[in-house]
Amino acid sequence: MALMFTATPSIKKAAALINALDASRFPLILSRILQKIHLKDERTFSEEEEEKLQSALRLSAPDLELLLQTLEFFLQQAAYHTAKPVVLGQQLQQLEIDEDKVKAIVEAWTNSAKEIVQKLRQCRLNHKQLEDINWRLNLQMAQASKTKMKLPNAMFELGIKDENTQEKEKIKLEFTHDELYAFYNQLETIQRQLDSLS
Amino acid sequence: MSIVQVVGSGGSVAADRTPFYGVRVPNEVKSLVKPLSKLDKQVFRKILQLIVSDIEGSDIENAELKSLETKELNEETLHTLYMGLHTLLQCALRHPLTSIKQEAFKEDLQDLQVPKEFHSDLASVVFGSRRPQIERNSLDSRPRLPQLENLKWRVDVAISTSVLNRVLDPTVFMEMTLSNGKLHSFEVPVSKFQELRYNVAYVLKEMEDLEKRNILKIQD
């Protein structure tokens, strides 16, 4: 498999910092990074938390940043290539990171890899997604100009969520029997396409 | 104890049948009676034509109605006639053809004191060849939520994204045009698509069951 990491100077420096880290705190930092990895624009740690980390780990601000960024980078790359834990371990070792730290990273990755890849798969550029489907079946009995009717009617409410703005929109539609049948046929055509892909 | 017998005006038998216009005679129809008795058949036919085009859904010009005004037939009377006949026909047209009979209709017209010579014209509107168009129009103009006018779709397979090298995950992309002109485009993950398909099929089945059931149950 292609090398995920090349030993650039900053990575080398980060490796040294990682090695110098206290082993007890390490897994916690890793699990936090893994939690936030699929959310593109969010910072892993808030500013307060970063300050606390600085004093707890006795690192300067730029050092802490380098450390965190490099760890995030390792895990993002592992996710991007869907790396096997063994491969990840090997490549991290080549960067001259201590064995116990490598072990911690590989373990954290093994535990959460599946979930993360799933979540990343769902990341779409296109923001509006269909989220909810609700419906109602009515029987129209009468209207202003006609009595004694028996007209079945289906009302659908599709909930569309915009991933970016978190806005929810509801599309309300109405179908008679024939209209619903036509819609169903369209959906079946789409399904055939999906089936032919797999 | 004395027994008082009350005889109806037209002497009709069916006291248990509700007339086509309902339990009470609508006001517009009540005020129709006097001017109608003096009306000439030709003018009546013309007014009736206008009313029928209106009910069928085509727009009529105010000028057309005005043109029927004459010395004997002033604007007010003309309007009373138009409204009365319109209401009369609307009441009759509300009933589906299966639940109103021509003889009953004519009997009710008699009770309303509509001149006999107008009965056949009125009956031909309600029971005649123009009825299907009227039915279509009233179905089309009923209040409705927007309908799906057009559905454009696309199946995409994402091969790779900036965060994941191998995705190979299909997605459906839909663009719905509704009858109110709005355009909605959105993505449907495959799992949601299956849910949508399931729901639509379920509703279809429910609808078919409903149609089979109620044909037997609800008697007209």
Side-chain angles (χ1 to χ4, degrees):
Chain A
M1 193 181 125
L3 261 183
M4 294 188 279
F5 323 110
T6 47
T8 62
S10 42
I11 287 202
K12 284 194 184 146
K13 190 167 175 214
L17 288 170
I18 293 177
N19 288 338
L21 259 186
D22 175 19
S24 55
R25 291 241 163 67
F26 200 49
L28 292 168
I29 303 180
L30 283 176
S31 53
R32 177 67 100 87
I33 296 178
L34 283 169
Q35 275 172 17
K36 299 268 182 175
I37 209 171
H38 63 284
L39 298 162
K40 272 193 213 156
D41 297 323
E42 283 189 32
R43 293 170 65 108
T44 317
F45 295 98
S46 68
E47 288 200 26
E48 294 177 19
E49 288 172 321
E50 286 199 2
E51 277 178 31
K52 282 195 202 146
L53 275 175
Q54 267 179 37
S55 52
L57 301 172
R58 274 162 292 166
L59 287 171
S60 62
D63 278 349
L64 179 67
E65 219 182 294
L66 178 64
L67 178 73
L68 291 175
Q69 275 181 2
T70 315
L71 285 173
E72 283 172 18
F73 176 66
F74 286 157
L75 293 166
Q76 276 169 1
Q77 284 295 331
Y80 182 77
H81 292 279
T82 322
K84 293 208 171 57
V86 174
V87 178
L88 176 63
Q90 279 172 359
Q91 298 203 9
L92 285 174
Q93 275 180 344
Q94 278 173 5
L95 294 172
E96 290 175 31
I97 302 182
D98 285 341
E99 225 190 279
D100 55 345
K101 303 284 174 8
V102 172
K103 231 175 131 190
I105 299 180
V106 171
E107 219 181 288
W109 168 241
T110 318
N111 289 340
S112 37
K114 236 185 167 184
E115 258 185 66
I116 293 181
V117 171
Q118 278 285 61
K119 281 196 201 152
L120 286 177
R121 272 183 151 181
Q122 304 290 333
C123 268
R124 296 290 181 206
L125 284 177
N126 215 306
H127 326 290
K128 293 204 194 158
Q129 284 208 14
L130 177 64
E131 237 192 18
D132 296 314
I133 302 162
N134 269 318
W135 54 265
R136 197 170 107 176
L137 180 61
N138 293 326
L139 185 66
Q140 185 180 342
M141 304 294 297
Q143 58 190 56
S145 48
K146 285 168 72 85
T147 58
K148 298 198 183 138
M149 292 172 70
K150 287 191 285 263
L151 190 64
N153 223 338
M155 262 198 253
F156 271 81
E157 193 183 76
L158 302 175
I160 308 285
K161 186 163 168 202
D162 190 333
E163 294 291 318
N164 281 3
T165 62
Q166 299 292 318
E167 264 175 36
K168 284 202 184 154
E169 200 190 332
K170 290 195 173 168
I171 306 179
K172 295 196 182 74
L173 300 172
E174 199 191 289
F175 296 93
T176 57
H177 193 163
D178 295 329
E179 291 166 357
L180 194 60
Y181 191 64
F183 184 47
Y184 177 71
N185 281 333
Q186 284 184 300
L187 291 180
E188 284 292 295
T189 312
I190 301 178
Q191 182 61 38
R192 276 198 290 275
Q193 286 299 318
L194 285 173
D195 288 338
S196 71
L197 280 177
S198 51
Chain B
M1 196 173 70
S2 60
I3 302 169
V4 180
Q5 193 171 30
V6 179
V7 185
S9 60
S12 50
V13 189
D16 54 346
R17 179 177 67 80
T18 328
F20 72 86
Y21 45 81
V23 179
R24 272 202 259 135
V25 182
N27 286 336
E28 294 92 348
V29 178
K30 275 191 201 153
S31 27
L32 178 61
V33 177
K34 253 180 51 184
L36 197 58
S37 52
K38 297 185 224 146
L39 190 59
D40 169 43
K41 188 151 190 186
Q42 292 303 324
V43 186
F44 170 76
R45 284 221 161 124
K46 287 202 192 127
I47 301 181
L48 202 60
Q49 287 237 13
L50 285 178
I51 295 179
V52 174
S53 337
D54 179 35
I55 298 181
E56 279 181 353
S58 29
D59 285 322
I60 51 170
E61 301 281 317
N62 200 8
E64 288 178 29
L65 189 60
K66 251 184 126 58
S67 64
L68 294 171
E69 272 178 44
T70 59
K71 257 187 298 178
E72 301 100 30
L73 200 61
N74 66 358
E75 191 171 354
E76 206 186 305
T77 327
L78 190 60
H79 284 189
T80 319
L81 280 168
Y82 185 86
M83 273 318 299
L85 286 172
H86 193 116
T87 314
L88 189 81
L89 281 173
Q90 289 277 35
C91 291
L93 289 168
R94 291 190 81 218
H95 302 274
L97 278 172
T98 50
S99 64
I100 186 171
K101 302 274 188 329
Q102 254 205 51
E103 310 83 52
F105 178 62
K106 288 189 174 164
E107 264 176 42
D108 291 333
L109 287 180
Q110 181 79 340
D111 284 344
L112 286 171
Q113 293 164 38
V114 172
K116 257 208 157 65
E117 44 180 8
F118 298 151
H119 286 199
S120 53
D121 285 334
L122 287 169
S124 72
V125 174
V126 178
F127 298 97
S129 54
R130 299 184 87 169
R131 183 66 191 263
Q133 176 59 23
I134 296 175
E135 291 287 307
R136 262 199 297 277
N137 185 48
S138 57
L139 268 180
D140 289 339
S141 58
R142 73 181 198 272
R144 294 194 74 179
L145 281 180
Q147 299 104 57
L148 184 63
E149 199 104 318
N150 195 15
L151 176 68
K152 284 205 251 177
W153 56 269
R154 200 172 86 193
V155 173
D156 285 333
V157 179
I159 301 176
S160 183
T161 66
S162 51
V163 290
L164 204 53
N165 201 10
R166 278 267 166 281
V167 182
L168 292 176
D169 210 17
T171 331
V172 183
F173 192 75
M174 287 196 187
E175 193 181 271
M176 290 187 171
T177 317
L178 301 182
S179 57
N180 60 2
K182 281 205 179 147
L183 196 70
H184 288 110
S185 54
F186 52 88
E187 210 179 275
V188 186
V190 179
S191 52
K192 278 293 164 189
F193 177 74
Q194 303 298 356
E195 207 184 303
L196 180 65
R197 211 168 123 247
Y198 172 75
N199 278 306
V200 172
Y202 190 78
V203 180
L204 258 180
K205 181 179 158 299
E206 288 280 310
M207 234 192 222
E208 284 177 8
D209 284 346
L210 184 63
E211 282 171 351
K212 276 192 214 131
R213 244 194 298 151
N214 75 54
I215 285 173
L216 301 171
K217 257 196 191 169
I218 303 177
Q219 302 296 328
D220 276 331

